[in-house]
Amino acid sequence: MHNFEFLRMVNIGQYLPLQSVLHRLDPRARILIYFCIIAAATFTSSPLGLAIALAVTFIGFWFGRIPLRFALRGLLPPLPFLLILAFLQIFLTPHPDEATILYSLGPMKIYLAGLISAGLLLLRFAVLILGLGLASYTLSTSEMIHGLESLFSPLARLGIPTHDLVMVVQVTIRFIPFLAQAAERIAKAQASRGADWGTHKGGLLARTRQVIPLVLPLFLTSLRRAETMALAMDARGYAAITRRTSLMVMHFTWKDALAILLGIAAGVTILWVG
Amino acid sequence: MHTYQLSRLQGALQVRQGGTVCQGICGMTINPAGLPFFCPGYVKIFPIMANAFISVEDVHFQHPVRGGESTRALNGINLQIEEGEYLAIVGANGSGKTTLGRHLNALLMPGQGRVLVNGKDTRDPQNHPAIRSTVGMVFQSPEDQIVAAVLEEDIAFGPENMGLPPAEIRARVEEALTITGMQEHRERPPHLLSAGQMQRAALAGVLAMHPRCVIMDETTAMLDPGGRAMVKQLIHRLHDEGLTVIVITHFMREAVEADRVVVLKEGTVAFDGPPRDIFIHPADLYSMNLDLPIAARLAQSLRPIFPELPADILTPEALFRALPSYMGALLPDSLPRPSHARNDCADIIKVEDLEHVYLSDTPLAHSALTGASLCVGEGSSHGLIGSTGSGKSTLLQHLNGLLIPQQGRVRVGAFDLNDAATDLKAVRRYAGLVFQNPEYQIFEQYVGDEIAYAPRLMGEKETLRETVRSAMTSVGLDFETFKDRFTFALSGGERRKVAMASILAMNPAILLLDEPTAGLDPRSRRGVLEHLNGMQTGSKTLVVSSHHMEDIAELAENVTALANGRDQLNGSAASVFHQVEKINALGLEAPLVSQAAAVLRSRNWPLRPDILRPAELTKNLSQIVEGSHA
């Protein structure tokens, strides 16, 4: 029974402060590696490529000492949507006229091509979700922010406010667990007054309806909170000077270079086999 | 008070006229460095304005209200704060104390008049970086001030904004972590810290900027006794190290810790002086919706029995020191033994060996309950005490079926929560739970609709109006005045009452309350307690959790103390609070009356063991005094 543990569903954005080889790499190296793998998994068209990408992600979990069960749980919340998408994909995939019909039910016909592309879709999303999960478990927000900032620093010379943009990302990430916690508290308060939360009843319509009274207090508390946070940031001198410095000092070593090369190699392989 | 305001006026005049007058009147001299020396013993100081560390000069401020008349928050405030002072700003809700605090570090700019920090005018944006790194501010709700997703990164936020080199930032982060005792939590995400830890983290973030002054805006309102004591200790330490400390509070017991108290009333300074002077006219305090500190109140009611108690007792320590020893004849036979007997449990709630783990099977799993038992008699009132994280809220949420037992048994009325077939909605109707923070509970636009939400869901139609009316009356909200009010425009105390009424509208047999008075000012707090007391005389069973032992002493017949997810002490309120040492060991603070009784017992007073309220203490004491005279 975990009816009200909304936080449980949010494992993207959950950093796990472990001491692994992966965690010790330069954040910029990690960002580049994850980017290579995720981009390659997005664009490859072959099942073999995706299988390799999946394997690379699992190797990543192993190096990062991420508990596998925890990582796989990230697949559960979006699973219903993925299944619906895959189901549609089966019927919507274009096919050559002479293709073999595997099964037919009235006007609905299932072709091999449809099945394959539905399977690919599921596999691709699984890889992407796991890959993003890997990134968020091993990159703390501060690492990601300073890493991105450093990688984007050439853009600042063109007059793009990379600093503020990165801050926006940081505060957004800070708010994700908050929203989950707030939603949990509101749902509990409403359940105590007879709303249908957590009584394992009700169809899709009923479930959608109960979300509506959740939205207003969630908005109000978030706005109020954002206001206080802005005030607290002001009080601590944010935007007072243009050049912020950083707690984190990044050292790029040969290990990081090697890791990036491996990442690029993995990405190229995934694309090349396809 | 009149003479006082006159001198205030003179002070303002003197300041306007410059240094010489002031020098003549308060005997101040100026040393070559331009720093003022104060005449010893003289309390009110009007130094030359350019030399004061923070100087507030005739400040007016109005909060803009969209589409309406703006509300006046500050009405001509004059205040000089010297470096190294420990100052408390007190006032009821709406007196302007937070607004004033925000003027001191340039979060708000005066509409009229000016504020100088270290000689720099807050209205000039050029000065803001310097002012904000000189004057740091800690806010009331700890979770809202933490910006980063990892603790040490958050502490580094201020120094990063100052543009310091990384090595220096690292050193300052380490230092701030050490001062606040948060080293072991440096890599934890802030949303997994307790309220007390978060408040210390917020303070660390401010200290890392090496400010010369720290403003604490009601920072202890949400903390448990252990957290409050920790913050108090930190404040004293910082003050001893030469930091200027400004505490904004509505609790007199915190204000009297300071060297100087400024009382605000309707945006003006109503008093400015050392704490002992403030209590010469308690009546004035009451008129400002403030209260004497409980130690002073208890001293007042003990004075008829102990006429030798000094007039200026403000803190518990001073009171305990002044309590006399018993000189009469010892009559050991007449001493009743402490009774641990409980009301025989015609129990309406029975919890046995309950365990609960949050986020089980994840790396973030943590145990909230580790074998808690609870027994509440029908129609009784039961208090749950324990520090933050001891499992109070988790236990309460089991009692109305929001949480289902993972291990152990829970029975509420006729409902067995271990049985999967139990109708959870019926349980929630039977045992209504009022949450700690009304922000998360109120979602309708109008008060009337908000309270009608539950009965409407239950299908009530004809009697709805009457139900809402009686629910509102029972918490002291007038039906006609409040039914069409906007919920967002309510004050803190009113919101709390609406939240309570919205549960009472279901007419539950059991009322569960999680921290019903946290964050309320003294008057709203008294109001809520009175209504709860009234309800208790009805037939409802009450289970109340609170950080304020005084509240529990006033409300509860029986008490369970939790620590580390397990019940540690059980029994009648008197017998639990009688064990002052054990209560303190759990990180709690026994009610002042129990503590005073314990001190008196240690000084040989043959007091009864079941003393819980001031009236009981004075009655017992006068019986003893009379007895020994007879």
Side-chain angles (χ1 to χ4, degrees):
Chain A
M1 272 313 261
H2 305 299
N3 283 319
F4 288 103
E5 294 198 316
F6 288 23
L7 201 57
R8 171 183 290 274
M9 299 183 207
V10 196
N11 41 7
I12 284 195
Q14 268 184 9
Y15 172 64
L16 301 179
L18 304 167
Q19 294 294 326
S20 74
V21 195
L22 203 55
H23 284 80
R24 278 196 294 270
L25 282 183
D26 187 299
R28 286 166 295 188
R30 270 175 278 165
I31 292 175
L32 287 175
I33 295 168
Y34 300 147
F35 177 77
C36 287
I37 297 169
I38 290 170
T42 312
F43 293 112
T44 184
S45 53
S46 87
L48 186 59
L50 281 175
I52 295 173
L54 192 64
V56 171
T57 317
F58 278 105
I59 293 172
F61 285 138
W62 187 76
F63 270 118
R65 296 201 196 152
I66 310 292
L68 209 56
R69 281 189 56 179
F70 174 71
L72 290 176
R73 196 178 296 120
L75 289 175
L76 289 181
L79 201 60
F81 301 98
L82 291 184
L83 288 177
I84 292 171
L85 276 180
F87 185 72
L88 291 175
Q89 188 77 16
I90 293 176
F91 298 105
L92 296 178
T93 311
H95 51 85
D97 288 335
E98 70 277 19
T100 32
I101 297 171
L102 291 180
Y103 184 78
S104 75
L105 187 84
M108 318 246 274
K109 297 181 178 59
I110 296 177
Y111 297 95
L112 187 62
L115 271 188
I116 289 176
S117 84
L120 270 183
L121 179 126
L122 277 183
L123 190 59
R124 194 188 307 276
F125 272 103
V127 172
L128 290 181
I129 290 165
L130 290 175
L132 285 172
L134 175 65
S136 64
Y137 308 145
T138 55
L139 267 176
S140 80
T141 27
S142 57
E143 285 173 335
M144 184 176 78
I145 281 154
H146 294 304
L148 282 178
E149 205 165 5
S150 162
L151 290 172
F152 285 152
S153 55
L155 291 179
R157 292 204 197 103
L158 302 175
I160 298 168
T162 48
H163 234 306
D164 289 336
L165 289 176
V166 167
M167 195 66 210
V168 169
V169 176
Q170 171 159 14
V171 173
T172 310
I173 291 172
R174 170 80 183 89
F175 261 73
I176 292 173
F178 159 68
L179 283 174
Q181 274 176 332
E184 184 176 318
R185 284 181 199 167
I186 296 166
K188 275 183 177 172
Q190 293 181 354
S192 332
R193 285 162 64 189
D196 269 315
W197 290 104
T199 51
H200 36 133
K201 266 188 244 163
L204 192 65
L205 190 68
R207 276 166 188 277
T208 320
R209 264 224 316 256
Q210 62 183 213
V211 174
I212 296 168
L214 192 73
V215 173
L216 184 70
L218 196 57
F219 257 101
L220 284 178
T221 50
S222 309
L223 284 178
R224 204 166 291 142
R225 221 179 124 108
E227 222 168 61
T228 330
M229 195 183 273
L231 207 61
M233 284 170 70
D234 250 352
R236 284 161 76 183
Y238 182 68
I241 57 165
T242 40
R243 265 224 61 77
R244 286 187 80 217
T245 47
S246 152
L247 167 71
M248 184 147 345
V249 201
M250 288 178 280
H251 297 290
F252 197 83
T253 64
W254 61 270
K255 282 186 196 160
D256 301 307
L258 183 68
I260 293 177
L261 284 179
L262 284 175
I264 294 175
V268 171
T269 319
I270 293 165
L271 287 174
W272 180 69
V273 295
Chain B
M1 229 40 185
H2 277 295
T3 49
Y4 170 71
Q5 268 158 3
L6 193 62
S7 72
R8 174 86 254 162
L9 193 65
Q10 280 168 355
L13 285 174
Q14 287 152 14
V15 171
R16 289 228 180 79
Q17 286 164 7
T20 46
V21 178
C22 181
Q23 221 174 325
I25 286 180
C26 71
M28 218 169 57
T29 51
I30 308 292
N31 71 356
L35 294 167
F37 289 127
F38 310 126
C39 35
Y42 193 83
V43 185
K44 246 170 264 108
I45 298 152
F46 300 104
I48 298 154
M49 42 199 220
N51 282 335
F53 175 48
I54 298 176
S55 166
V56 180
E57 295 163 16
D58 193 33
V59 164
H60 292 254
F61 184 81
Q62 305 188 329
H63 282 293
V65 173
R66 204 175 307 139
E69 218 166 285
S70 47
T71 49
R72 297 159 75 83
L74 299 180
N75 268 320
I77 302 255
N78 283 292
L79 205 59
Q80 312 291 322
I81 301 167
E82 291 306 321
E83 183 134 34
E85 267 196 277
Y86 180 1
L87 175 87
I89 301 178
V90 252
N93 287 345
S95 60
K97 52 189 193 305
T98 293
T99 311
L100 175 60
R102 288 180 182 175
H103 273 82
L104 304 183
N105 75 337
L107 285 177
L108 290 174
M109 266 41 93
Q112 192 186 321
R114 62 173 186 169
V115 178
L116 300 182
V117 176
N118 221 358
K120 294 193 172 73
D121 195 322
T122 57
R123 285 172 303 182
D124 183 357
Q126 294 280 312
N127 290 332
H128 287 182
I131 290 172
R132 287 179 183 153
S133 58
T134 309
V135 181
M137 184 138 180
V138 185
F139 294 84
Q140 176 177 359
S141 51
E143 43 183 3
D144 296 349
Q145 13 183 354
I146 293 177
V147 183
V150 174
L151 185 54
E152 60 176 3
E153 192 64 31
D154 183 75
I155 298 173
F157 180 74
E160 286 176 353
N161 290 336
M162 294 161 74
L164 298 172
E168 170 75 15
I169 298 179
R170 172 57 66 190
R172 286 188 176 200
V173 169
E174 291 306 317
E175 181 199 46
L177 282 168
T178 317
I179 294 176
T180 50
M182 294 291 291
Q183 296 103 312
E184 52 189 305
H185 303 293
R186 62 172 73 223
E187 291 198 333
R188 296 202 50 203
H191 67 270
L192 297 178
L193 297 175
S194 76
Q197 289 167 342
M198 263 195 261
Q199 199 54 282
R200 277 191 273 156
L203 182 59
V206 169
L207 291 180
M209 296 176 75
H210 283 185
R212 287 160 65 191
C213 172
V214 178
I215 304 172
M216 317 272 276
D217 190 355
E218 293 188 35
T219 37
T220 58
M222 298 295 173
L223 304 187
D224 63 358
R228 289 200 291 263
M230 180 88 196
V231 170
K232 185 172 129 184
Q233 227 175 346
L234 263 173
I235 290 177
H236 277 287
R237 198 173 136 199
L238 295 174
H239 174 58
D240 289 344
E241 284 169 11
L243 217 69
T244 311
V245 178
I246 301 175
V247 174
I248 299 175
T249 177
H250 47 228
F251 288 114
M252 278 301 174
R253 56 158 195 271
E254 284 174 14
V256 296
E257 301 279 334
D259 300 333
R260 174 180 165 199
V261 178
V262 172
V263 180
L264 294 189
K265 184 190 182 186
E266 289 160 13
T268 55
V269 176
F271 174 87
D272 181 356
R276 64 174 181 283
D277 284 5
I278 215 176
F279 305 111
I280 297 171
H281 303 289
D284 290 330
L285 274 182
Y286 298 136
S287 77
M288 289 181 269
N289 290 332
L290 294 172
D291 224 338
L292 281 171
I294 41 174
R297 255 184 295 158
L298 188 58
Q300 219 172 31
S301 53
L302 287 177
R303 219 161 269 134
I305 303 163
F306 302 136
E308 68 275 24
L309 284 183
D312 61 350
I313 287 179
L314 297 174
T315 60
E317 295 77 33
L319 174 65
F320 298 159
R321 260 198 313 276
L323 288 175
S325 294
Y326 181 62
M327 294 306 176
L330 274 179
L331 306 162
D333 302 349
S334 66
L335 263 178
R337 312 279 350 133
S339 69
H340 288 277
R342 303 172 55 177
N343 285 2
D344 255 338
C345 216
D347 44 340
I348 193 166
I349 295 173
K350 182 118 185 131
V351 178
E352 288 165 289
D353 301 318
L354 186 63
E355 294 178 21
H356 190 83
V357 181
Y358 282 111
L359 297 170
S360 53
D361 306 327
T362 72
L364 302 170
H366 65 278
S367 297
L369 292 176
T370 55
S373 299
L374 177 73
C375 181
V376 178
E378 180 153 16
S380 71
S381 60
H382 199 103
L384 285 180
I385 56 175
S387 52
T388 314
S390 60
K392 299 192 299 288
S393 297
T394 312
L395 181 56
L396 277 179
Q397 289 175 25
H398 277 89
L399 302 185
N400 82 332
L402 280 178
L403 297 174
I404 308 293
Q406 294 171 343
Q407 284 292 323
R409 305 200 60 80
V410 178
R411 185 177 59 71
V412 178
F415 299 100
D416 178 4
L417 287 174
N418 293 73
D419 182 357
T422 302
D423 179 3
L424 293 175
K425 274 170 88 171
V427 178
R428 291 170 194 165
R429 217 173 295 150
Y430 182 73
L433 171 58
V434 184
F435 280 88
Q436 187 181 139
N437 193 341
E439 305 279 298
Y440 295 106
Q441 300 194 45
I442 294 176
F443 47 90
E444 295 279 1
Q445 198 174 7
Y446 297 102
V447 170
D449 289 336
E450 181 68 38
I451 297 170
Y453 176 81
R456 222 175 243 156
L457 273 185
M458 286 154 66
E460 221 176 296
K461 283 199 181 71
E462 287 80 28
T463 51
L464 189 61
R465 200 178 163 86
E466 222 20 69
T467 307
V468 173
R469 183 197 296 271
S470 77
M472 284 174 76
T473 318
S474 65
V475 296
L477 291 173
D478 184 55
F479 179 69
E480 294 301 330
T481 339
F482 278 95
K483 70 177 167 47
D484 293 327
R485 287 267 186 97
F486 286 117
T487 46
F488 64 81
L490 297 172
S491 77
E494 288 163 355
R495 296 177 78 85
R496 207 63 66 109
K497 287 180 180 173
V498 168
M500 223 181 278
S502 63
I503 295 292
L504 286 173
M506 298 192 295
N507 196 20
I510 304 174
L511 191 61
L512 311 166
L513 297 142
D514 198 357
E515 301 282 350
T517 61
L520 295 182
D521 74 357
R523 191 170 61 154
S524 328
R525 178 154 161 259
R526 221 175 304 130
V528 168
L529 284 180
E530 272 164 21
H531 287 294
L532 286 177
N533 251 331
M535 233 171 280
Q536 190 198 335
T537 47
S539 58
K540 288 203 192 314
T541 307
L542 229 59
V543 182
V544 186
S545 85
S546 180
H547 286 326
H548 291 275
M549 303 305 133
E550 259 74 28
D551 295 2
I552 296 286
E554 210 164 301
L555 280 177
E557 302 157 43
N558 296 311
V559 169
T560 298
L562 291 172
N564 304 321
R566 195 171 287 150
D567 53 312
Q568 309 282 347
L569 298 171
N570 264 311
S572 70
S575 76
V576 168
F577 287 134
H578 181 71
Q579 309 169 51
V580 171
E581 300 286 314
K582 278 192 192 162
I583 296 269
N584 291 346
L586 295 178
L588 300 170
E589 201 178 31
L592 189 70
V593 177
S594 308
Q595 290 187 46
V599 171
L600 284 168
R601 276 187 207 106
S602 74
R603 294 183 190 159
N604 298 328
W605 286 87
L607 286 174
R608 297 163 54 86
D610 56 352
I611 286 168
L612 204 55
R613 297 182 179 90
E616 293 165 6
L617 180 62
T618 48
K619 189 173 160 214
N620 194 200
L621 279 173
S622 52
Q623 280 168 349
I624 295 171
V625 171
E626 276 163 28
S628 70
H629 282 307

